[in-house]
Amino acid sequence: MSTETAQPDGSATSSSSNVARQFATIFSPPHPLVLESGDQIGPVTVAYQTYGTLSPEKDNVVYICHALTGDAHVAGRHSPEERKPGWWDGFVGPGKAIDTDRYFVICSNILGGCQGTTGPSSECPETGKPYGPDFPFITIRDMVNVHNGLLDHLGIEKVLAIVGGSLGGMQVLEWAINHADRVGAAVILASGAKLNAQGIAFNAVGRRAIYSDPLFHDGWYYEQSEKPRFGLALARMIAHITYLSEQSIELKFGRRLQDGDEFRFDLRSETEFQIESYLHYQGKRFVERFDANSYLVLTRAMDYFDLAEKYGSIYQAFEKTKCRFLVVSYTTDWLFPTSQSKELVRALVQARRHVTFRELESPYGHDAFLIDRELPKLGSLVSPFLARTHQDIAEGTF
Amino acid sequence: MSTETAQPDGSATSSSSNVARQFATIFSPPHPLVLESGDQIGPVTVAYQTYGTLSPEKDNVVYICHALTGDAHVAGRHSPEERKPGWWDGFVGPGKAIDTDRYFVICSNILGGCQGTTGPSSECPETGKPYGPDFPFITIRDMVNVHNGLLDHLGIEKVLAIVGGSLGGMQVLEWAINHADRVGAAVILASGAKLNAQGIAFNAVGRRAIYSDPLFHDGWYYEQSEKPRFGLALARMIAHITYLSEQSIELKFGRRLQDGDEFRFDLRSETEFQIESYLHYQGKRFVERFDANSYLVLTRAMDYFDLAEKYGSIYQAFEKTKCRFLVVSYTTDWLFPTSQSKELVRALVQARRHVTFRELESPYGHDAFLIDRELPKLGSLVSPFLARTHQDIAEGTF
């Protein structure tokens, strides 16, 4: 598939140090995607990227599901000039934990997002304008059905493994449950069978920040000169605190001041402490790349995710699965604490599934699976897990 | 002092079931309060309430310091019709843990607040208009200096105990350190020697919500028809999550829906889950009683609090104290986790102070010290601690 990759100069590439955006259009009428809500949407454009080479047996596909505000650009650079590589560049690439010399990696932007896949900021075919708040209500299962449609489009029958953290882990779970015949292994990082009530609470406050921004205009801000950047930045700042841990904030910033050692006694300053300055920066950077309506749609999808509610129990959900599982949590993750991973593992064991579980020590909270210095530990679990699954499938002993 | 209490009908009362607002004006020119910033403010009006009867020896005073958004109305009702009693009515009153049959209880609204004591919404004597954003920058020490001024005004030399939780606990610490000769005992609940960086982060986001509300008008909203209620409500919603614990949110709300059992698949609904509805309600109620500028001033005072920074070390701070201490933390408090209380206790032990410490089991997070069903456990610590201190002082064995 990577040979189809179109570069601006017309050349093709499969090197992860020089990747390209790819697009597929699927679910075109008269076969739109039927959503969990009962609504329909189509056509759906999917932005995706691939890394490595698909084996002749097509048995080396690793599908990566990104988290809430991620995108398809998981590794490499689109051009040598690009400032930062993809969001998991330390983990995915030649010789890395997810080794693109061995595996053919696919990552697609999720439905409802704003990085190339159809979302609220995309043009609605009926109106010729952005969907805006008319974008349908979507769920994690809907997102995964789009990933599944992309696999069909690419002519790939089975994936060796689905890998994802946080909201990505929720997608992995829906993959394993609803597309059981396609999945060899599921790697679920810093996630759980549901978003807990505290997580819903933080999402609710983030959405309130967007809704109460007068520039939001009930979601019809695309034709306005200004976007609801204050509300969206605020939502990001709130969420960002939940991605860190108390320990990581102490380590990185503590109570240190941004400038000098003396208090300013100035109420107008919003960035006196380093942690404040950092959060403001995160908010500002986020609004440059993200769409407020997407944020609303995706956080609601996350809120709705609840295996027990949907399948009767987590055990019943897992009875539908056929793959093996690797579940990883982090000691200081308080958005998806280890108890949530253990809940998954208990139900998997009850359903007699092959599951490996590790709680990794880390000060970095929920974001640990994205932090470079945590990747060796994670890689030492994921890499042999993929290799063993690959081998077992090849040898027919799976 | 309670005999000075003016009731609307002209009668006086000291009953905690029928309390009255009282006011004192102190720090009048030419003797204004010199603030830690170097600024001055005066006169300062202090709103306070008293409960019980001052003993002839004036040895039974318990001074209660309220938390961030509390007020002087700690117990009882201003009138039989008042919907809710004071914020610590389950803890303070005749026969209760802080027994107003034995102790003379004083609670005053803090400097910078908006419940009667001089704050940003008070009239500035120079302009005849509210201080607004011109209100000076204040610290916890400044608040305590106002409490101290009130004691002078009331002709009370010593207090048996100072009691407070959270920001109130910070005030207790400054009392014990800076007014050591006046304090017999210090009761510090769910607090610490500093606000940690995560706490600063949450405060920063709350302030950002207020600053970015277009109705804030740089703090000059008092003469506007609308107040920055969206920003202030949002700040409260964020903070409120930190006052609860994951466990208490699960217990009280879990993932239950507000209406019915079925998802609505409606992105416009902001109150689909009970926890959302609850937070929105908390936000709405809060803006009815609180001033946005006060919120800014008080959270900044909290951010600045850091005994080690101010006194060289926590140990050095405690070397200045002369009282005995009771320190209480709660297992699920993540805003002021037990580690913060232990940090206080270590330094107190090092400084050879008499200290009792207990970590109480509770699912209710930071707010546990305010929750009725947690009060018996807390009372079983506080009540004998006060009685013993009272007795030791009376017998001269303190």
Side-chain angles (χ1 to χ4, degrees), chain A residues 323-344:
Chain A
C323 64
R324 58 180 62 169
F325 291 82
L326 172 62
V327 178
V328 177
S329 69
Y330 289 93
T331 47
T332 54
D333 181 356
W334 56 282
L335 190 58
F336 286 95
T338 292
S339 57
Q340 289 239 50
S341 285
K342 286 187 175 168
E343 188 179 39
L344 291 176

Side-chain angles (χ1 to χ4, degrees), chain A residues 240-256 275 278-279 334 363-364, chain B residues 196-202:
Chain A
H240 201 91
I241 300 174
T242 71
Y243 304 154
L244 307 175
S245 68
E246 188 206 336
Q247 200 180 339
S248 66
I249 297 177
E250 283 300 328
L251 278 172
K252 197 165 178 182
F253 309 105
R255 292 180 45 89
R256 284 186 293 281
I275 176 65
Y278 173 79
L279 285 177
W334 56 282
Y364 294 106
Chain B
N196 68 18
Q198 191 183 54
I200 295 173
F202 280 114

Side-chain angles (χ1 to χ4, degrees), chain A residues 256-296:
Chain A
R256 284 186 293 281
L257 304 180
Q258 183 67 9
D259 299 308
D261 298 328
E262 299 286 322
F263 284 142
R264 286 189 220 160
F265 294 99
D266 175 6
L267 206 62
R268 303 302 179 97
S269 168
E270 283 194 71
T271 55
E272 181 157 16
F273 290 91
Q274 285 183 11
I275 176 65
E276 296 181 291
S277 180
Y278 173 79
L279 285 177
H280 281 263
Y281 176 79
Q282 293 297 329
K284 272 179 201 150
R285 288 298 305 272
F286 185 64
V287 301
E288 292 165 10
R289 69 176 176 90
F290 219 81
D291 174 58
N293 281 320
S294 274
Y295 197 82
L296 299 174

Side-chain angles (χ1 to χ4, degrees), chain A residues 195 211 255 267 270 272 304, chain B residues 195 211 255 267 272 304:
Chain A
L195 184 64
Y211 285 123
R255 292 180 45 89
L267 206 62
E270 283 194 71
E272 181 157 16
Y304 268 42
Chain B
L195 184 65
Y211 285 123
R255 291 179 46 88
L267 206 62
E272 180 156 16
Y304 268 42

Side-chain angles (χ1 to χ4, degrees), chain A residues 94-125:
Chain A
K96 297 180 182 172
I98 298 181
D99 186 352
T100 53
D101 287 340
R102 304 177 65 174
Y103 306 116
F104 180 63
V105 170
I106 307 171
C107 184
S108 56
N109 185 217
I110 52 178
L111 180 67
C114 51
Q115 308 291 334
T117 293
T118 298
S121 56
S122 304
E123 186 182 292
C124 170

Side-chain angles (χ1 to χ4, degrees), chain A residues 219-236:
Chain A
W220 297 111
Y221 52 80
Y222 296 105
E223 294 175 2
Q224 306 288 329
S225 59
E226 289 198 280
K227 307 238 173 327
R229 65 182 192 281
F230 291 118
L232 184 59
L234 197 48
R236 178 62 167 188

